[in-house]
Amino acid sequence: MARKNIAAGNWKMNKAYQEGLDLATAVVDGTETTDTIVIMSTPFIHLQSVVEIAKSKDNVKVAAQNCHQAQSGAYTGEISVGMLNSIGVDCVVLGHSERREYFNENNTLLAEKVKTVLGAGMQPIFCCGEALPTREAGEQVEYVSNQIKESLFDLSAEDFSKIVIAYEPIWAIGTGVTASPQQAQDMHAAIRNLISDKYGSEVANNTSILYGGSVKPANAKEIFSQKDVDGGLVGGASLKADDFLAIVHSF
Ligand code: PGA
């Protein structure tokens, strides 16, 4: 898949049903049909309706925020890729730091989930990122590289090419502290080099790498203008249509 500019909104556990539909409708109405891909990653209850709302614009896609690694079975409370696929969901966010921290998701489990999502013909948006102590120790590149190697480097080049990566430093998520454009660029370049070493420069150059962590209308343009930053995964600012649309128009 060719490298794209992507603005992805991650609603997390926010919005009652109708609130979510209103937000999705405003986002779709305010999005022009351009080469920029707009993704809404919604709670499960909104997915089916948001898929319908998004149908009017080819460049608007819908993502789940998680799925189970198994195809089906006795996993009370979980959602399978087959279920997501059957309602037309395009992508699944995997390995968000909140899933890693509060739900014990580790690199090995995420490797399984990535394969399950790819097997269902959907696109994984794979999140990685270091906590503050790791950055303070200057070990962020090694840490993030390890997350990517352990969860993704078993894949064939063909499968790897279908993945979107989201670099989200944990110290910048929901804190109002954004990584500087240079910090984002440095990590994104390191990730692209890592991919190039493993899969070659063509695959690396075609991989979309998003930045996440306190992306706002006021800082999106500068971050997105970095050479190796292909867009953003946006939490808080994706909950207001105007803010999210301003970010969508920041490329
Ligand atoms: P934030 O969240 O934009 O609210 O910092 C980003 C994310 O967790 O994806």
Side-chain angles (χ1 to χ4, degrees):
M1 245 174 257
R3 184 162 158 190
K4 301 258 192 224
N5 288 333
I6 299 175
N10 175 17
W11 297 3
K12 307 191 181 184
M13 196 173 73
N14 293 294
K15 301 289 177 191
Y17 180 67
Q18 190 56 49
E19 292 169 346
L21 269 45
D22 293 347
L23 172 58
T25 303
V27 167
V28 171
D29 287 351
T31 299
E32 285 101 52
T33 310
T34 64
D35 287 345
T36 298
I37 302 290
V38 175
I39 300 176
M40 286 180 280
S41 179
T42 82
F44 292 125
I45 63 154
H46 300 98
L47 286 171
Q48 189 167 7
S49 302
V50 175
V51 165
E52 287 306 313
I53 292 167
K55 267 189 183 148
S56 63
K57 301 259 161 79
D58 280 351
N59 55 324
V60 180
K61 312 270 181 214
V62 182
Q65 297 175 13
N66 180 35
C67 67
H68 198 272
Q69 64 275 20
Q71 299 297 335
S72 65
Y75 301 103
T76 301
E78 290 293 316
I79 298 277
S80 76
V81 288
M83 295 169 191
L84 297 173
N85 207 14
S86 71
I87 57 167
V89 169
D90 306 289
C91 321
V92 184
V93 174
L94 292 174
H96 191 281
S97 62
E98 289 147 19
R99 301 283 326 162
R100 292 175 188 263
E101 183 176 353
Y102 307 133
F103 302 95
N104 298 323
E105 297 200 1
N106 59 32
N107 295 342
T108 312
L109 172 70
L110 291 167
E112 276 185 69
K113 290 195 178 197
V114 166
K115 284 188 186 140
T116 305
V117 168
L118 287 169
M122 292 184 291
Q123 181 170 45
I125 301 172
F126 179 81
C127 304
C128 52
E130 81 288 354
L132 192 57
T134 306
R135 177 157 288 262
E136 284 172 346
E139 291 164 0
Q140 66 273 15
V141 170
E142 195 188 338
Y143 184 86
V144 168
S145 299
N146 200 43
Q147 289 179 315
I148 291 173
K149 282 186 205 160
E150 288 190 6
S151 295
L152 303 179
F153 276 11
D154 245 9
L155 298 172
S156 66
E158 194 192 340
D159 275 346
F160 187 90
S161 310
K162 296 169 186 158
I163 288 180
V164 170
I165 300 216
Y167 167 60
E168 300 202 302
I170 297 170
W171 45 272
I173 296 178
T175 57
V177 180
T178 316
S180 70
Q182 192 60 49
Q183 283 173 320
Q185 168 56 26
D186 290 349
M187 180 61 85
H188 284 226
I191 292 171
R192 212 177 289 287
N193 277 336
L194 180 77
I195 298 168
S196 184
D197 287 347
K198 169 79 179 171
Y199 292 107
S201 59
E202 197 184 330
V203 171
N205 285 331
N206 281 323
T207 302
S208 298
I209 308 177
L210 314 184
Y211 166 80
S214 300
V215 174
K216 302 181 269 269
N219 60 27
K221 228 185 191 89
E222 203 187 350
I223 296 172
F224 295 176
S225 68
Q226 301 301 308
K227 183 170 158 280
D228 287 294
V229 177
D230 303 306
L233 181 56
V234 184
S238 74
L239 297 173
K240 284 197 193 135
D242 288 351
D243 285 355
F244 187 56
L245 286 168
I247 293 168
V248 166
H249 296 125
S250 294
F251 291 99

